[in-house]
Amino acid sequence: MDLVFLKAAYRLMIFVILIDFPKLQGLARDGTRQQTRSKTRFKRPWEINKNLCPPSICKLNYTDIASPFFEDPFFEGDIVLNANEKREMKKAHIPQSRKTRALIRKTSKLWKEAVVPYTMDPEFKPSTKKKIRSAMRHIQRKTCIKFRKKTKSNKNWIHFLYESGCWSSIGKQGDKQLVSLGDGCEKFGTMVHEIGHALGMWHEQGRLDRNKYVKVIEKNVARGYMRNFGIRRSDEVYSRGVPYDYASIMHYGRDYFSNNGKDTLKVIGYGEKKKKKIGQRKALSDLDIANLRELYQCNKQEETECQKGWIKYKDSCYKFRPHGKQFGPAHSRCIEYDAHLVHINSLTEHIFLAHHIEKNYPKFEIWRTGGKRENGKFVWYGGDDESNKPMTYERWGAGYSDKYTTMVLKKDTSNARFDWIGTWAGSVAQLPQFSYPFICERELFKRPCFKSKSKSGQEYTGDLDYTSSGVTCQKWTSQYPHKHREVSKNSLTNIKNGIGNHNFCRNPNGSKKRPWCYTTKKAIEWEYCDIRIC
């Protein structure tokens, strides 16, 4: 029996030596991490992921690896497909007659209300966590997409994983989905790229009109990797009218999947004339931003009514939650509504809230607000990912004390008046103490009005950057997708017209009836902007 065991062990040892061992490089000594990194230059995700099979997405045995039919777990180098997506990719060739942008088509794969809950692997180094948050903030600043720490009630979320390789899925997958940012993936642009996939962005060179802009040099593509240069079908992605983007952070570099270090993609047509480069990993391009904003309907028009179950007062909507919560859980619950614990900014708002509570919830005498102590001073809490706001209105009751950590609205039984008093935030160990009903507040989307002397907004100098139909504006200094001459070499002329390296609505030289801009749509050269006049 022992002899049989030794022979089997010997055969297995020889087998491991002979097989293509790099396919196991994702399995480090602990079976979970890849700790190797390039000593010469920065490796791109496709290089890091080459011959890699991370444990979280692969269930390998030696027979699978030795088989000539072993399937690379990644599509186009860094995308993980689900079972349905794999089946779709095997369908027949689709005629290349429709121009498409490399964005998902199915709205079911978009994150609801543009809010993306997330968790983060504790094994990340603090510096890497900081970079991931920086990448999320970059997307937040450029779009309406928000990243929030996951709460118990979130059913779908992104988990940033510290594992072998740089990879992600396309769009919302449902339940917990992974975005891996292992060793070698610490570059800011790589992080933005992988998060972009999770938001619904395919690679740019997968568009149906790709061959008009870049040419695939097949002889330089490594054996077995030509499938990574396919073109997506029209039912998977579509353009929304935005032209091909050489500068997209989602575009392959010129030598991706090369077998000899030479180019696998050659820029042709317009890009060749303008000497356009591909494969940048610095930040979202202008057209990346325009597409994400349209994908998630960021350039929406003003809201006039609150959602069902919310109470409107002036420019805000309020949800009254009579179920008792401590400060942290109450804040998390409001975040789920894309809101925050109520910020009371005026006496009239205070009176409105007190009157509504007394009329509709007479049995509840204490309500949590968003007031929280920070550096010895009370502020309106915005959350870990948002800045806190200073208080502009303070009406303290007799319960105020420097030692308290949060504020509540409490009814004074002696005069039936609601005042602010201090209280503790509370902890799990103290439950059910300090658990009170709470109020969530969500501001209506309302653009500030512009006081125009001309009544048409001719002299507008604000930062509105989309048109009346909701299309993101093209930068005045850009000549793509539309050529123009509004930006003069004379800086004084530019200052006078209020134009420059931005895409804010303007009316240089009074050339049109009211503020306008060039658009990021190929078929729409320019449109008027819907400036709200006071």
Side-chain angles (χ1 to χ4, degrees), residues 149-386:
K149 288 185 177 180
K150 179 189 177 297
T151 63
K152 289 183 179 180
S153 61
N154 292 134
K155 304 302 180 184
N156 306 308
W157 75 98
I158 285 174
H159 177 67
F160 291 104
L161 178 68
Y162 176 61
E163 193 177 73
S164 306
C166 325
W167 45 268
S168 177
S169 301
I170 299 293
K172 177 170 67 68
Q173 297 291 309
D175 199 35
K176 177 183 179 179
Q177 76 182 68
L178 305 176
V179 174
S180 178
L181 297 170
D183 291 334
C185 311
E186 300 90 349
K187 188 177 177 65
F188 174 82
T190 298
M191 293 179 173
V192 174
H193 178 97
E194 299 305 338
I195 296 172
H197 282 318
L199 294 175
M201 303 176 78
W202 290 91
H203 289 131
E204 180 69 1
Q205 77 291 330
R207 291 170 51 134
L208 278 175
D209 59 346
R210 186 269 309 283
N211 292 338
K212 294 181 180 180
Y213 301 93
V214 292
K215 179 182 179 181
V216 180
I217 307 174
E218 294 189 27
K219 66 179 182 180
N220 293 337
V221 178
R223 182 179 180 183
Y225 285 94
M226 190 59 202
R227 73 187 188 102
N228 292 320
F229 291 86
I231 294 175
R232 304 287 68 73
R233 299 189 327 275
S234 60
D235 60 341
E236 294 167 345
V237 297
Y238 70 130
S239 66
R240 299 174 181 269
V242 175
Y244 195 87
D245 186 12
Y246 291 104
S248 174
I249 200 169
M250 308 307 294
H251 203 299
Y252 277 5
R254 59 181 177 80
D255 61 347
Y256 274 36
F257 303 100
S258 177
N259 63 0
N260 53 17
K262 295 181 180 180
D263 290 356
T264 53
L265 285 176
K266 179 183 178 182
V267 175
I268 60 175
Y270 172 85
E272 186 176 18
K273 293 178 182 178
K274 297 297 181 180
K275 298 181 179 180
K276 295 286 185 179
K277 294 182 180 180
I278 54 176
Q280 69 87 12
R281 293 294 182 268
K282 295 181 180 179
L284 292 172
S285 71
D286 292 341
L287 295 184
D288 285 334
I289 294 166
N291 273 279
L292 278 176
R293 287 172 68 169
E294 183 155 342
L295 189 64
Y296 283 91
Q297 298 183 350
C298 295
N299 299 342
K300 58 186 177 180
Q301 303 305 305
E302 293 184 11
E303 296 174 322
T304 57
E305 298 297 331
C306 296
Q307 298 175 359
K308 186 177 180 180
W310 293 70
I311 305 300
K312 180 182 177 182
Y313 177 71
K314 292 189 175 180
D315 294 332
S316 289
C317 301
Y318 303 85
K319 180 178 279 291
F320 295 81
R321 300 287 299 176
H323 306 291
K325 297 281 187 182
Q326 292 180 331
F327 185 88
H331 168 73
S332 297
R333 189 63 173 163
C334 289
I335 289 296
E336 293 174 28
Y337 297 127
D338 194 21
H340 53 75
L341 280 170
V342 66
H343 295 182
I344 305 173
N345 300 312
S346 67
L347 177 60
T348 55
E349 185 179 14
H350 179 121
I351 294 172
F352 157 73
L353 293 172
H355 176 73
H356 185 85
I357 290 169
E358 192 168 354
K359 180 180 179 181
N360 297 279
Y361 305 96
K363 295 181 180 180
F364 298 96
E365 297 183 348
I366 300 179
W367 291 78
R368 278 208 176 277
T369 74
K372 186 175 183 180
R373 183 178 295 282
E374 181 184 70
N375 298 324
K377 186 177 180 180
F378 274 97
V379 295
W380 292 120
Y381 186 59
D384 295 334
D385 300 316
E386 299 289 340

Side-chain angles (χ1 to χ4, degrees), residues 20-28 31-34 47-61 64-65 70-74 77 80 86 161 163-167 180 225:
D20 186 10
F21 188 73
K23 290 187 183 294
L24 282 177
Q25 66 178 330
L27 304 176
T32 58
R33 303 287 184 251
Q34 178 193 20
E47 295 174 301
I48 295 172
N49 295 347
K50 189 176 182 180
N51 295 321
L52 182 68
C53 210
S56 60
I57 57 176
C58 290
K59 294 181 180 178
L60 294 178
N61 58 54
D64 291 336
I65 298 173
F70 174 80
E71 185 176 354
D72 187 341
F74 301 110
V80 177
K86 286 181 180 179
L161 178 68
E163 193 177 73
S164 306
C166 325
W167 45 268
S180 178
Y225 285 94

